[in-house]
Amino acid sequence: MTIAINQLTQQQPLSFDEFLAHYSDNNRYELIDGEVFDLEPTGLHEEVAAFITTKICVQIDAKNLPWFVLQRGLLRPHNTGMTAFRPDVAVIDRNQLTQEPLWSDQSILTLGSSLKFVAEVVSSNWQNDYARKLEDYAVLGIPEYWIADYAGLGGTRHIGKPKQPTLSICTLVNEEYEIQQFRGNQTIVSLTFPDLKLTAEQILRAGR
Protein backbone atom coordinates (compact mmCIF):
# COMPACT_ATOMS: atom_id res chain seq x y z
CA MET A 1 0.00 0.00 0.00
CA THR A 2 2.94 2.34 0.55
CA ILE A 3 5.94 3.95 -1.04
CA ALA A 4 9.02 4.75 1.02
CA ILE A 5 9.87 8.44 1.16
CA ASN A 6 13.09 9.71 -0.34
CA GLN A 7 15.94 8.41 1.79
CA LEU A 8 17.74 11.73 1.43
CA THR A 9 14.87 13.24 3.39
CA GLN A 10 15.00 10.67 6.18
CA GLN A 11 18.51 9.81 7.30
CA GLN A 12 17.76 8.27 10.70
CA PRO A 13 14.96 6.00 11.95
CA LEU A 14 12.16 7.91 13.61
CA SER A 15 10.62 7.07 16.93
CA PHE A 16 6.84 7.06 17.19
CA ASP A 17 6.89 10.41 19.01
CA GLU A 18 9.11 11.94 16.32
CA PHE A 19 6.79 10.59 13.64
CA LEU A 20 3.80 12.21 15.35
CA ALA A 21 5.65 15.48 15.68
CA HIS A 22 6.43 15.60 11.97
CA TYR A 23 3.47 13.85 10.36
CA SER A 24 0.48 13.86 12.72
CA ASP A 25 -1.32 16.45 10.60
CA ASN A 26 -0.89 14.53 7.35
CA ASN A 27 -2.70 11.21 6.99
CA ARG A 28 -0.78 10.07 3.91
CA TYR A 29 2.14 8.72 5.95
CA GLU A 30 2.75 5.69 8.13
CA LEU A 31 5.76 4.41 10.08
CA ILE A 32 7.25 0.91 9.83
CA ASP A 33 10.33 0.07 11.90
CA GLY A 34 11.34 3.71 12.03
CA GLU A 35 10.98 4.25 8.27
CA VAL A 36 8.36 6.68 7.00
CA PHE A 37 6.26 5.56 4.04
CA ASP A 38 4.24 7.83 1.78
CA LEU A 39 0.91 6.13 1.01
CA GLU A 40 0.48 7.99 -2.32
CA PRO A 41 -2.82 6.29 -3.22
CA THR A 42 -3.97 6.37 -6.84
CA GLY A 43 -7.51 7.21 -7.81
CA LEU A 44 -8.52 3.56 -8.31
CA HIS A 45 -6.83 2.66 -5.01
CA GLU A 46 -9.13 5.14 -3.28
CA GLU A 47 -12.16 3.86 -5.18
CA VAL A 48 -11.51 0.28 -4.05
CA ALA A 49 -11.08 1.37 -0.42
CA ALA A 50 -14.24 3.48 -0.59
CA PHE A 51 -16.23 0.61 -2.15
CA ILE A 52 -15.19 -1.77 0.63
CA THR A 53 -16.03 0.87 3.24
CA THR A 54 -19.48 1.50 1.75
CA LYS A 55 -20.45 -2.16 1.60
CA ILE A 56 -19.20 -2.83 5.14
CA CYS A 57 -21.00 0.18 6.58
CA VAL A 58 -24.26 -1.16 5.14
CA GLN A 59 -23.66 -4.45 6.95
CA ILE A 60 -22.83 -2.74 10.23
CA ASP A 61 -25.94 -0.59 10.03
CA ALA A 62 -28.24 -3.46 9.02
CA LYS A 63 -27.17 -5.53 12.03
CA ASN A 64 -27.04 -2.53 14.39
CA LEU A 65 -23.52 -3.48 15.46
CA PRO A 66 -21.55 -1.25 17.87
CA TRP A 67 -18.85 -0.84 15.22
CA PHE A 68 -17.70 1.95 12.93
CA VAL A 69 -15.17 2.43 10.14
CA LEU A 70 -12.18 4.53 11.15
CA GLN A 71 -11.83 7.48 8.78
CA ARG A 72 -8.43 8.64 9.92
CA GLY A 73 -6.16 7.24 12.53
CA LEU A 74 -3.13 5.17 13.36
CA LEU A 75 -2.69 1.65 14.60
CA ARG A 76 0.35 1.55 16.83
CA PRO A 77 0.93 -2.01 18.05
CA HIS A 78 1.71 -1.76 21.76
CA ASN A 79 4.72 -4.05 21.46
CA THR A 80 6.51 -2.07 18.74
CA GLY A 81 8.21 1.24 19.42
CA MET A 82 8.77 2.53 15.88
CA THR A 83 5.74 1.35 13.92
CA ALA A 84 2.38 3.01 13.28
CA PHE A 85 0.18 1.56 10.54
CA ARG A 86 -2.55 3.52 8.78
CA PRO A 87 -4.95 0.90 7.37
CA ASP A 88 -7.02 1.72 4.30
CA VAL A 89 -10.13 0.33 5.98
CA ALA A 90 -10.42 -0.49 9.69
CA VAL A 91 -13.57 -1.55 11.54
CA ILE A 92 -13.50 -0.54 15.19
CA ASP A 93 -15.45 -2.04 18.08
CA ARG A 94 -16.76 0.96 19.99
CA ASN A 95 -17.20 -1.12 23.15
CA GLN A 96 -13.46 -1.73 23.35
CA LEU A 97 -12.36 1.89 23.17
CA THR A 98 -12.47 2.40 26.94
CA GLN A 99 -9.37 0.18 27.08
CA GLU A 100 -7.43 2.31 24.60
CA PRO A 101 -4.96 4.55 26.48
CA LEU A 102 -4.57 7.19 23.73
CA TRP A 103 -7.99 7.27 22.12
CA SER A 104 -9.58 10.03 24.20
CA ASP A 105 -6.89 12.51 23.11
CA GLN A 106 -5.72 11.17 19.73
CA SER A 107 -7.00 8.97 16.94
CA ILE A 108 -4.50 6.23 17.83
CA LEU A 109 -5.27 2.59 18.55
CA THR A 110 -2.85 0.25 20.31
CA LEU A 111 -4.86 -2.91 20.98
CA GLY A 112 -5.86 -5.54 18.46
CA SER A 113 -9.02 -6.20 20.46
CA SER A 114 -10.35 -2.83 19.27
CA LEU A 115 -10.35 -3.94 15.64
CA LYS A 116 -12.78 -6.39 14.06
CA PHE A 117 -11.59 -6.09 10.46
CA VAL A 118 -8.82 -4.48 8.42
CA ALA A 119 -8.35 -4.11 4.67
CA GLU A 120 -5.31 -2.92 2.77
CA VAL A 121 -5.45 -1.95 -0.91
CA VAL A 122 -2.19 -2.92 -2.56
CA SER A 123 -0.03 -0.49 -4.49
CA SER A 124 3.68 -0.31 -5.32
CA ASN A 125 5.12 -1.47 -1.99
CA TRP A 126 3.13 -4.68 -1.82
CA GLN A 127 5.65 -6.40 0.46
CA ASN A 128 4.30 -4.60 3.52
CA ASP A 129 0.76 -5.81 2.91
CA TYR A 130 1.61 -9.43 2.12
CA ALA A 131 4.34 -9.93 4.72
CA ARG A 132 4.87 -7.42 7.51
CA LYS A 133 1.25 -6.44 8.07
CA LEU A 134 0.05 -10.00 7.64
CA GLU A 135 2.31 -11.01 10.51
CA ASP A 136 1.61 -8.04 12.77
CA TYR A 137 -2.16 -8.08 12.29
CA ALA A 138 -2.17 -11.77 13.23
CA VAL A 139 -0.12 -11.07 16.38
CA LEU A 140 -2.56 -8.31 17.29
CA GLY A 141 -5.42 -10.80 16.96
CA ILE A 142 -7.40 -8.97 14.27
CA PRO A 143 -10.00 -11.57 13.19
CA GLU A 144 -10.11 -10.75 9.47
CA TYR A 145 -7.69 -9.03 7.10
CA TRP A 146 -8.30 -8.36 3.41
CA ILE A 147 -5.53 -7.72 0.88
CA ALA A 148 -7.16 -6.14 -2.17
CA ASP A 149 -4.62 -6.40 -4.97
CA TYR A 150 -6.65 -4.76 -7.75
CA ALA A 151 -3.69 -4.48 -10.17
CA GLY A 152 -2.08 -7.86 -9.47
CA LEU A 153 1.08 -6.26 -8.12
CA GLY A 154 2.00 -8.83 -5.46
CA GLY A 155 4.81 -11.30 -5.90
CA THR A 156 4.07 -14.61 -7.61
CA ARG A 157 4.64 -16.44 -4.31
CA HIS A 158 1.60 -14.59 -2.98
CA ILE A 159 -0.81 -14.47 -5.94
CA GLY A 160 0.56 -17.08 -8.33
CA LYS A 161 1.59 -16.95 -11.95
CA PRO A 162 0.47 -15.38 -14.19
CA LYS A 163 -0.22 -12.52 -11.81
CA GLN A 164 -3.78 -11.24 -11.82
CA PRO A 165 -6.05 -9.11 -9.63
CA THR A 166 -6.64 -11.02 -6.41
CA LEU A 167 -8.53 -10.53 -3.17
CA SER A 168 -6.89 -12.42 -0.32
CA ILE A 169 -9.14 -12.90 2.72
CA CYS A 170 -7.13 -13.82 5.79
CA THR A 171 -9.07 -15.33 8.69
CA LEU A 172 -7.46 -15.76 12.10
CA VAL A 173 -7.38 -19.39 13.25
CA ASN A 174 -5.26 -20.43 16.25
CA GLU A 175 -3.36 -17.12 16.15
CA GLU A 176 -2.41 -17.51 12.48
CA TYR A 177 -4.12 -16.42 9.30
CA GLU A 178 -5.68 -18.92 6.96
CA ILE A 179 -5.78 -17.35 3.51
CA GLN A 180 -8.42 -17.79 0.82
CA GLN A 181 -7.94 -16.11 -2.53
CA PHE A 182 -10.74 -14.92 -4.79
CA ARG A 183 -10.59 -13.76 -8.40
CA GLY A 184 -12.96 -12.80 -11.17
CA ASN A 185 -16.58 -13.77 -10.62
CA GLN A 186 -15.88 -15.91 -7.56
CA THR A 187 -18.17 -14.99 -4.66
CA ILE A 188 -16.21 -13.96 -1.60
CA VAL A 189 -16.58 -15.57 1.84
CA SER A 190 -16.26 -13.35 4.91
CA LEU A 191 -16.78 -14.66 8.45
CA THR A 192 -17.03 -11.13 9.83
CA PHE A 193 -19.63 -10.07 7.26
CA PRO A 194 -21.30 -13.31 6.11
CA ASP A 195 -24.15 -11.51 4.35
CA LEU A 196 -21.88 -9.77 1.86
CA LYS A 197 -22.92 -10.91 -1.62
CA LEU A 198 -20.02 -9.70 -3.70
CA THR A 199 -17.63 -11.13 -6.24
CA ALA A 200 -13.91 -10.50 -6.18
CA GLU A 201 -14.21 -8.53 -9.41
CA GLN A 202 -16.85 -6.22 -7.96
CA ILE A 203 -14.51 -5.35 -5.11
CA LEU A 204 -11.30 -5.11 -7.12
CA ARG A 205 -12.96 -2.95 -9.77
CA ALA A 206 -14.74 -0.86 -7.13
CA GLY A 207 -18.17 -1.86 -8.41
CA ARG A 208 -17.50 -0.72 -11.98
Side-chain angles (χ1 to χ4, degrees), residues 70 72-75 86 102-103 105-109:
L70 187 66
R72 292 191 176 115
L74 289 167
L75 171 57
R86 199 182 295 276
L102 304 176
W103 182 256
D105 297 317
Q106 297 172 288
S107 182
I108 299 172
L109 299 166

Side-chain angles (χ1 to χ4, degrees), residues 66-78:
W67 302 351
F68 65 93
V69 176
L70 187 66
Q71 296 299 307
R72 292 191 176 115
L74 289 167
L75 171 57
R76 182 199 181 190
H78 65 277

Side-chain angles (χ1 to χ4, degrees), residues 1 41-56 69 87-90 117 119-121 148 150 203-204 206:
M1 168 180 92
T42 65
L44 187 53
H45 176 290
E46 290 295 89
E47 287 187 58
V48 172
F51 183 81
I52 293 171
T53 298
T54 299
K55 296 302 182 181
I56 284 175
V69 176
D88 286 314
V89 184
F117 170 97
E120 299 285 7
V121 182
Y150 68 90
I203 295 167
L204 297 170

Side-chain angles (χ1 to χ4, degrees), residues 48-145:
V48 172
F51 183 81
I52 293 171
T53 298
T54 299
K55 296 302 182 181
I56 284 175
C57 284
V58 171
Q59 296 294 310
I60 292 172
D61 186 60
K63 295 181 179 296
N64 196 29
L65 296 169
W67 302 351
F68 65 93
V69 176
L70 187 66
Q71 296 299 307
R72 292 191 176 115
L74 289 167
L75 171 57
R76 182 199 181 190
H78 65 277
N79 58 346
T80 57
M82 295 193 296
T83 294
F85 298 126
R86 199 182 295 276
D88 286 314
V89 184
V91 175
I92 311 304
D93 185 345
R94 186 175 285 108
N95 292 337
Q96 296 296 320
L97 292 178
T98 56
Q99 306 301 315
E100 287 286 354
L102 304 176
W103 182 256
S104 60
D105 297 317
Q106 297 172 288
S107 182
I108 299 172
L109 299 166
T110 63
L111 305 174
S113 56
S114 298
L115 290 93
K116 308 301 290 187
F117 170 97
V118 167
E120 299 285 7
V121 182
V122 176
S123 56
S124 61
N125 196 0
W126 50 266
Q127 295 93 336
N128 284 337
D129 300 322
Y130 281 105
R132 176 57 191 272
K133 292 182 181 180
L134 184 78
E135 180 179 337
D136 280 11
Y137 290 167
V139 170
L140 282 165
I142 299 172
E144 189 166 328
Y145 169 38

Side-chain angles (χ1 to χ4, degrees), residues 176-196:
E176 294 185 356
Y177 281 130
E178 292 185 354
I179 303 173
Q180 284 185 285
Q181 294 187 324
F182 301 89
R183 302 178 179 90
N185 63 3
Q186 292 178 317
T187 301
I188 70 162
V189 178
S190 168
L191 292 183
T192 306
F193 301 104
D195 292 335
L196 277 176

